[in-house]
Amino acid sequence: MWFAVLMERAVRRERVFRDRSNPLEVYNDDEIISRFRLTREAILRLTDELEDVLGPTTARSHSIPALLQLCTALRFYATGSFLNTVGDTVGLSKASVSRVVYRVSGALSERLPQFPVEPAELSRLKRGFYNISRFPNVVGAIDGTHVKIQAPFENEHLFVNRKGHHSLNIQAVCDHNLKFLNCVARWPGSVHDSRILQHSQLFEAFEEGMIDGILLGDSGYPLKPWLLTPFLNPTTPAQRKYNTAHCSTRNTIERAFGVLKRRFHCLHGELRMIPERVCKIVCATVVLHNMAR
């Protein structure tokens, strides 16, 4: 009797291949943007660019095509739902969705923007910021934002931010059109914004004079010749006028973070993954945000 039970359990369960229809053939243009946050043309173009990385190397075992992988990841970014919920909408298992999100996030994170150093591009940035509140020589607005994560198993205390939540501290610089010019997404939530900046390549580039222009930051950053912060207690009309112009110009980074988190709701809630995976997801959404802008 016991032998028969063991043999029954040892029989391999038959694999079930779900229907994997092309999402772009199911929805119209408005529904695609609502569900995946990108246009049909942008998704197809991005699929072609990532084909070498995402494309299956074999046709065995119903391998997942690059287009479906990208749509699966986009759906996860847009909703922040459980992996099995996302899998139910595209015909994939929870394990497959997890692998797909990791693979797509890694491919997209390699495309993070690099802060421009070309004089023509810096001049364009200065004109754009000047048109906001007539603040001269500004090439970017800098700030940090927190992305909630599940408490990690290793070094858990380092990820607790000042509000008592587990998070990653994401530092970014944006332009006047709310597009990100630079993003650093690898620091625990307990690390201060100023420390993240001091350990970044961007800090070295400005300190060495490689970038002609200034950044605008809040009072949490140190005052530098290339990094201007507001007066804490303005006492003269000139200081108050400076603070007004500074606030309205630097406000672009606050709005950029708001648009990013609303566009990709996975950043607005809690990401239930290890910090290394969350870093890749954040970088991937930054790249997609710039495409959408």
Side-chain angles (χ1 to χ4, degrees):
M1 181 66 181
W2 62 269
F3 182 75
V5 174
L6 289 178
M7 290 300 295
E8 183 179 354
R9 292 181 178 178
V11 175
R12 184 175 181 179
R13 187 178 60 181
E14 181 181 358
R15 297 185 66 183
V16 177
F17 298 101
R18 306 179 187 180
D19 177 33
R20 298 172 181 172
S21 56
N22 183 353
L24 301 189
E25 296 177 353
V26 177
Y27 305 113
N28 60 38
D29 291 344
D30 291 337
E31 290 172 335
I32 288 175
I33 295 176
S34 174
R35 285 167 170 78
F36 304 109
R37 300 301 193 259
L38 294 179
T39 63
R40 183 190 307 270
E41 293 74 18
I43 293 175
L44 291 174
R45 184 173 66 253
L46 189 56
T47 301
D48 291 338
E49 295 174 0
L50 299 178
E51 181 69 36
D52 293 340
V53 181
L54 302 180
T57 57
T58 177
R60 296 175 58 190
S61 301
H62 293 247
S63 54
I64 307 172
L67 177 59
L68 185 56
Q69 292 186 52
L70 181 59
C71 289
T72 300
L74 290 175
R75 185 63 176 158
F76 172 76
Y77 300 150
T79 62
S81 300
F82 291 103
L83 296 177
N84 52 7
T85 303
V86 175
D88 291 341
T89 63
V90 294
L92 297 177
S93 66
K94 176 181 177 180
S96 295
V97 173
S98 177
R99 289 191 294 268
V100 164
V101 170
Y102 178 74
R103 189 180 302 123
V104 173
S105 299
L108 289 173
S109 63
E110 297 295 329
R111 296 169 168 250
L112 268 180
Q114 300 296 321
F115 200 93
V117 296
E118 300 82 6
E121 181 63 17
L122 294 177
S123 297
R124 184 190 69 83
L125 293 173
K126 293 176 183 179
R127 289 194 300 270
F129 278 109
Y130 183 82
N131 291 334
I132 297 176
S133 288
R134 303 176 65 84
F135 207 118
N137 210 34
V138 177
V139 295
I142 185 172
D143 201 1
T145 187
H146 287 262
V147 174
K148 289 184 180 180
I149 64 172
Q150 182 176 290
F153 292 105
E154 298 181 1
N155 300 316
E156 177 268 341
H157 64 285
L158 296 178
F159 293 86
V160 180
N161 60 30
R162 58 186 176 84
K163 295 184 178 180
H165 302 143
H166 294 88
S167 68
L168 289 178
N169 194 350
I170 313 301
Q171 180 179 269
V173 180
C174 77
D175 68 5
H176 54 285
N177 288 324
L178 310 188
K179 290 183 66 175
F180 290 101
L181 304 173
N182 179 267
C183 179
V184 178
R186 64 174 184 271
W187 291 88
S190 63
V191 180
H192 195 271
D193 292 349
S194 60
R195 183 183 176 188
I196 298 177
L197 176 62
Q198 292 173 1
H199 287 80
S200 67
Q201 295 180 350
L202 190 65
F203 182 89
E204 297 178 1
F206 273 98
E207 283 286 287
E208 295 174 1
M210 297 173 58
I211 300 175
D212 178 24
I214 60 174
L215 297 177
L216 297 184
D218 60 21
S219 56
Y221 288 99
L223 183 63
K224 296 279 186 180
W226 48 268
L227 175 57
L228 299 184
T229 59
F231 287 99
L232 294 181
N233 298 295
T235 57
T236 66
Q239 291 178 354
R240 287 190 288 269
K241 187 175 182 180
Y242 165 88
N243 272 11
T244 300
H246 184 284
C247 178
S248 58
T249 306
R250 195 196 67 85
N251 176 260
T252 52
I253 186 63
E254 304 282 358
R255 291 158 51 206
F257 281 138
V259 173
L260 174 69
K261 289 188 175 184
R262 283 300 178 183
R263 174 174 282 128
F264 300 109
H265 202 267
C266 67
L267 305 180
H268 195 67
E270 180 186 72
L271 282 167
R272 296 168 290 278
M273 298 180 181
I274 62 175
E276 291 76 10
R277 289 202 172 197
V278 175
C279 291
K280 290 185 180 294
I281 289 174
V282 171
C283 293
T285 56
V286 167
V287 173
L288 295 171
H289 167 88
N290 281 359
M291 290 183 59
R293 293 299 298 180

